[in-house]
């Protein structure tokens, strides 16, 4: 188990290296000069060249990459071109807000999706299942920004229950979290329904019933732990997708997190910030996947690591 | 003394594209205390439906339409699920054909054996665990303490069937329903499992309802036997009578398809044709199309269970006409 985790983390370093090269190359291959973006379109060419030199942009790309990685190994992600702050500071300031939002979104997804999936499986093809299916279909079909704006309008503006946007305490997380959860919960409920239906018709469920187990015991003690495995896989993918989703949601709700930072960095060609946020997100996603793989072994004893 | 289990007029139907169709019809039999009853027939003749009807574990598209199931004089048909749950795993336990898939892969063996004790006897975790180890010893599993802490995938098929028997024995049931318990196992393991069941039956004075398609198993294990064909009982009686004097042509066909060492025949004898499907049941005798002795009467009219002797009945017109001659 320990050696498995170490090997997976070794693999993660290789993934990070690959992502860093790709992001670095793409960021500098766009047909726009970061120096020109900083000094503005009407500044004299001499100034652009001076800024180029200042930022080290006059050196060949491979050397710049090696320098960047050298700094990275020493925990230095460079200075933002635009915000005049170390990238590590920028990420540090925002990571908490995004983590809170992502966690809230994920928990809400599970809270909505898992019971819906169980109910759909237990009441398969009954009216309650049809209602759940319809809700799921609606949830999957709606675009995130639309759900976000509707929630903002009805709950934030008309009912005035929650703030329409901005960053602050717990109240500011609910609407953006719910926005993501409404569109994402359906995947969990569909997945769980399919796997629970499968499990509920299996021989060992019949054995449990033959022991005199109550329906609740059959579902929660016997079926759910077997049925949850596909949802667990999706959970890993979903957390990765959350980072993408959060970018849009942060933008819609004016929530100042990593997503907003990344979006601004891209429009400003602020390469160190782009690199920093992308690498941070990648490291997180890779880590989550290792955690999910380890969780498999805990949920399903048949899976062993060697 | 009344029988432990008395099934009469039992008809169980399944919802198909053409409405509810009976999978078993008018099934009657009884199991006395301490008796082993064999239920025999080929695949699809309603053996498992009969046992699942007794347990009331039919799939959602199946239902008992008529008849009564009396267990210790108590009517099980129409019993509320909460009351039925008190009987399942407690008074009536069941083991299944597929030991490989009948255990929950994510729970430890000890927990699975102890579960019915926690449900029916209110035992706590430690007590039920200790009892599970005792039960594992009872069914002849070595290193019982270690095995109780293992997951099912570490055990062989024979071991898993022993575990299933341990689960069934947990609450000292009065009736054990064994649905083809040895079909999926090697021949040597089969003999061991049958020996174990026989031993437990003698020790615990329980009754066994043994479902099988193997007449060899019946000869070895049972006191009486019910032969089913296409959802109906076609012959029943004491094992000795049925083996000595099989009366229904289907029973005769089953018996003659057992290979014998002393015979030097080239081909195994078999019954031609298949069990009719529940969607196209013939009007007369259900076996008529495969029967070597079928007459026009058989095709038109279905015989009822006719007495061959006091404790031996067969559903065949031949009994009526010629006594036991075939």
């Amino acid at each position: 188990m320990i050696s498995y985790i170490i090997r997976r983390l070794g693999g993660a370093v290789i993934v990070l290296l690959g992502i860093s090269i790709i992001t670095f190359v793409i960021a500098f291959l766009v047909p726009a000069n970061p120096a020109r973006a900083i000094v503005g379109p009407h500044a004299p060419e001499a100034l652009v060249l001076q800024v180029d030199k200042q930022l080290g942009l006059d050196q060949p790309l491979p050397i710049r990459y090696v320098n960047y990685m050298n700094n990275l190994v020493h925990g230095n992600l460079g200075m933002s071109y635009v915000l005049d702050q170390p990238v590590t500071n920028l990420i540090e300031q925002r990571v908490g807000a995004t983590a809170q939002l992502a966690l809230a979104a994920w928990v809400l997804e599970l809270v909505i999706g898992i019971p819906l999936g169980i109910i759909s499986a237990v009441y398969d093809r009954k009216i309650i299942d049809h209602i759940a299916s319809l809700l799921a279909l609606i949830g999957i079909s709606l675009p995130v920004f639309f759900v976000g704006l509707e929630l903002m309008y009805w709950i934030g503006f008309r009912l005035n229950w929650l703030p329409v946007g901005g960053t602050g305490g717990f109240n500011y997380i609910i609407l953006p979290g719910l926005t993501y959860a409404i569109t994402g919960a359906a995947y969990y409920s569909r997945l769980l329904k399919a796997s629970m239906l499968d499990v509920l018709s299996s021989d060992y469920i019949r054995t449990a019933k033959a022991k005199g187990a109550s329906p609740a015991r059959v579902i929660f003690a016997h079926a759910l732990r077997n049925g949850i495995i596909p949802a667990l896989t999706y959970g890993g993918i979903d957390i990765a997708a959350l980072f993408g989703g959060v970018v849009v949601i942060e933008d819609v709700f004016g929530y100042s997190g990593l997503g907003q930072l990344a979006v601004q960095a891209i429009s400003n060609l602020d390469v160190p910030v782009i690199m920093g946020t992308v690498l941070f997100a990648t490291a997180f996603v890779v880590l989550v996947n290792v955690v999910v793989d380890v969780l498999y072994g805990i949920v399903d004893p048949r899976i062993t690591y060697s | 003394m009344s029988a432990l289990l008395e099934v009469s007029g039992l008809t169980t139907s399944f919802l198909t594209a053409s409405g509810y169709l009976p999978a078993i019809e008018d099934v009657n039999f009884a199991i006395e205390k301490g008796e082993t009853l064999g239920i025999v027939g080929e695949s699809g003749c309603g053996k498992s439906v009969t046992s699942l009807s007794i347990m009331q574990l039919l799939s959602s598209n199946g239902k008992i339409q008529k008849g009564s199931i009396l267990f210790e004089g108590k009517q099980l048909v129409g019993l509320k699920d909460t009351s039925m749950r008190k009987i399942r795993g407690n008074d009536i336990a069941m083991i299944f054909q597929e030991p490989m898939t009948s255990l929950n892969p994510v729970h430890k063996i000890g927990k699975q054996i102890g579960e019915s004790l926690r449900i029916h006897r209110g035992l706590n975790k430690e007590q039920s665990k200790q009892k599970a180890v005792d039960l594992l010893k009872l069914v002849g599993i070595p290193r019982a303490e270690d095995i109780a802490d293992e997951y099912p995938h570490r055990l062989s098929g024979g071991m898993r069937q022993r575990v299933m028997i341990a689960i069934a024995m947990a609450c000292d049931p009065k009736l054990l329903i064994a649905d083809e318990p040895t079909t999926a196992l090697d021949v040597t393991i089969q003999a061991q499992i049958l020996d174990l069941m026989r031993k437990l039956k003698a020790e615990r004075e329980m009754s066994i309802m043994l479902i099988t398609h193997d007449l060899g198993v019946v000869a070895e294990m049972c006191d009486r036997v019910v032969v089913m064909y296409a959802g109906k009982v076609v012959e029943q009686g004491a094992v000795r009578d049925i083996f000595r004097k099989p009366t229904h042509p289907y029973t005769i066909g089953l018996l003659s398809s057992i290979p014998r060492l002393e015979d030097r025949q080239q081909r195994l004898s078999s019954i031609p044709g298949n069990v009719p499907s529940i969607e196209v049941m013939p009007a007369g005798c259900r076996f008529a199309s495969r029967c070597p002795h079928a007459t026009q009467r058989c095709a038109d009219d279905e015989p009822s269970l006719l007495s061959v002797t006091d404790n031996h009945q067969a559903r065949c017109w031949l009994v009526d006409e010629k006594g036991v001659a075939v």
Side-chain angles (χ1 to χ4, degrees):
Chain A
M1 181 79 141
I2 302 289
S3 78
Y4 171 80
I5 295 175
I6 291 170
R7 260 184 298 129
R8 284 295 307 267
L9 290 177
V13 170
I14 294 169
V15 171
L16 278 170
L17 264 178
I19 295 287
S20 70
I21 294 173
I22 293 167
T23 320
F24 203 79
V25 170
I26 289 176
F28 283 110
L29 278 188
V30 282
N33 186 344
R36 172 59 77 189
I38 293 164
V39 296
H42 304 296
E45 191 61 30
L47 187 59
V48 174
L49 287 176
Q50 193 195 330
V51 172
D52 254 355
K53 205 174 172 81
Q54 224 174 20
L55 299 177
L57 295 176
D58 53 342
Q59 285 170 312
L61 195 61
I63 291 179
R64 269 159 33 200
Y65 178 74
V66 170
N67 286 341
Y68 180 84
M69 291 310 281
N70 187 31
N71 286 334
L72 179 71
V73 173
H74 294 96
N76 180 6
L77 287 171
M79 292 285 286
S80 161
Y81 293 165
V82 183
L83 299 168
D84 210 27
Q85 277 193 62
V87 175
T88 40
N89 285 10
L90 288 169
I91 290 177
E92 243 176 63
Q93 287 158 19
R94 309 248 183 158
V95 70
T98 293
Q100 281 170 19
L101 175 55
L103 189 68
W106 193 60
V107 168
L108 281 169
E109 264 188 318
L110 298 183
V111 165
I112 299 172
I114 289 178
L116 221 55
I118 295 172
I119 290 169
S120 299
V122 172
Y123 298 97
D124 182 36
R125 283 179 244 175
K126 305 252 166 63
I127 187 87
I128 189 164
D129 168 39
H130 293 308
I131 293 170
S133 298
L134 187 68
L135 288 177
L137 185 68
I138 293 171
I140 288 178
S141 314
L142 292 175
V144 171
F145 68 88
F146 175 78
V147 175
L149 291 175
E150 288 297 316
L151 287 178
M152 214 188 256
Y153 177 73
W154 289 104
I155 297 177
F157 177 68
R158 293 295 288 267
L159 295 169
N160 205 12
W161 285 352
L162 291 164
V164 287
T167 324
F170 183 70
N171 283 352
Y172 291 83
I173 299 171
I174 300 173
L175 282 189
L178 202 58
T179 303
Y180 190 82
I182 285 173
T183 52
Y187 291 99
Y188 285 97
S189 79
R190 295 293 87 186
L191 259 177
L192 200 63
K193 181 194 173 180
S195 65
M196 285 292 278
L197 274 182
D198 229 37
V199 168
L200 285 172
S201 63
S202 64
D203 289 346
Y204 55 83
I205 292 300
R206 190 182 52 188
T207 304
K209 289 180 183 163
K211 285 181 195 172
S214 64
R217 193 183 184 99
V218 167
I219 292 163
F220 294 106
H222 287 275
L224 190 56
R225 193 156 153 206
N226 286 285
I228 201 95
I229 294 169
L232 184 65
T233 312
Y234 179 69
I237 302 167
D238 185 38
I239 286 183
L242 255 170
F243 263 87
V246 156
V247 170
V248 178
I249 290 171
E250 285 185 0
D251 210 34
V252 171
F253 284 90
Y255 187 92
S256 130
L258 281 179
Q260 215 185 33
L261 182 70
V263 169
Q264 283 165 2
I266 290 166
S267 50
N268 292 334
L269 269 182
D270 194 348
V271 180
V273 177
I274 298 175
M275 285 294 292
T277 47
V278 168
L279 286 181
F280 184 81
T282 309
F284 179 75
V285 168
V286 170
L287 200 68
V288 165
N289 277 301
V290 176
V291 170
V292 166
D293 283 346
V294 171
L295 276 181
Y296 280 143
I298 294 169
V299 173
D300 188 343
R302 285 167 296 182
I303 296 170
T304 53
Y305 302 104
S306 53
Chain B
M1 194 170 71
S2 70
L4 178 71
L5 182 83
E6 212 173 331
V7 174
S8 44
L10 184 65
T11 300
T12 299
S13 300
F14 284 86
L15 188 60
T16 66
S18 32
Y20 273 100
L21 292 173
I24 55 171
E25 239 182 301
D26 193 26
V27 170
N28 298 287
F29 62 86
I31 303 178
E32 303 293 334
K33 288 198 178 82
E35 181 183 50
T36 300
L37 176 77
I39 299 204
V40 188
E42 58 199 303
S43 309
C45 67
K47 299 172 307 215
S48 294
V49 173
T50 306
S51 63
L52 292 175
S53 298
I54 295 169
M55 289 295 270
Q56 306 205 7
L57 286 177
L58 293 162
S59 55
S60 58
N61 60 342
K63 69 171 186 198
I64 297 174
Q65 284 202 313
K66 268 187 287 186
S68 104
I69 301 168
L70 290 176
F71 179 75
E72 294 188 306
K74 187 176 182 178
Q75 180 60 260
L76 300 189
V77 176
L79 201 62
K80 272 198 312 223
D81 190 54
T82 43
S83 317
M84 194 61 215
R85 286 209 301 269
K86 295 201 177 93
I87 295 173
R88 277 187 216 126
N90 192 11
D91 294 324
I92 308 180
M94 189 163 178
I95 56 176
F96 302 97
Q97 181 174 358
E98 281 300 333
M100 298 309 277
T101 52
S102 290
L103 292 166
N104 193 330
V106 303
H107 290 165
K108 287 179 178 167
I109 300 286
K111 185 177 176 187
Q112 300 197 46
I113 296 173
E115 187 174 12
S116 26
L117 291 163
R118 290 198 300 278
I119 295 171
H120 298 294
R121 299 280 187 271
L123 263 53
N124 65 26
K125 246 184 183 165
E126 285 82 55
Q127 292 167 324
S128 68
K129 175 85 184 293
Q130 187 48 50
K131 191 84 201 298
V133 172
D134 295 344
L135 284 160
L136 281 171
K137 286 178 185 156
L138 177 77
V139 297
I141 287 192
R143 300 188 299 116
E145 281 89 357
D146 301 337
I147 296 296
D149 269 329
E150 286 286 4
Y151 290 98
H153 69 275
R154 310 274 302 232
L155 271 58
S156 67
M159 293 272 270
R160 290 190 209 185
Q161 196 61 297
R162 282 175 192 268
V163 170
M164 285 299 292
I165 293 173
I167 291 174
M169 298 312 297
C171 292
D172 244 325
K174 293 166 184 144
L175 173 65
L176 174 68
I177 301 178
D179 188 353
E180 307 243 12
T182 57
T183 305
L185 303 174
D186 293 344
V187 181
T188 47
I189 309 295
Q190 278 186 19
Q192 290 174 13
I193 295 290
L194 292 176
D195 276 345
L196 173 65
M197 285 173 59
R198 220 174 1 218
K199 182 191 107 187
L200 291 172
K201 182 199 145 185
E203 283 174 8
R204 310 249 168 158
E205 295 175 342
M206 64 176 178
S207 306
I208 297 178
M209 174 174 153
L210 180 64
I211 295 167
T212 179
H213 61 263
D214 186 341
L215 282 164
V217 170
V218 171
E220 211 177 317
M221 297 285 293
C222 300
D223 305 309
R224 283 191 313 118
V225 61
V226 168
V227 182
M228 287 187 75
Y229 183 77
K232 291 216 165 182
V233 174
V234 294
E235 184 160 6
Q236 62 179 344
V239 167
R240 188 187 302 185
D241 293 342
I242 301 257
F243 273 73
R244 276 197 193 147
K245 224 193 276 176
T247 303
H248 196 286
Y250 179 59
T251 314
I252 297 168
L254 282 182
L255 281 168
S256 61
S257 55
I258 301 174
R260 283 172 217 283
L261 269 182
E262 59 267 29
D263 288 357
R264 286 176 173 267
Q265 60 194 30
Q266 296 296 307
R267 291 177 63 90
L268 289 172
S269 98
S270 65
I271 307 171
N274 287 309
V275 183
S277 111
I278 59 171
E279 270 141 13
V280 283
M281 261 324 155
C285 173
R286 295 183 171 185
F287 189 60
S289 64
R290 300 169 75 183
C291 181
H293 311 287
T295 61
Q296 189 56 41
R297 187 184 184 192
C298 301
D300 297 339
D301 234 353
E302 192 181 19
S304 54
L305 270 177
L306 304 166
S307 287
V308 181
T309 61
D310 278 354
N311 293 314
H312 183 182
Q313 292 108 37
R315 191 184 292 280
C316 182
W317 290 123
L318 292 168
V319 178
D320 198 22
E321 282 171 359
K322 305 183 243 170
V324 192
V326 168

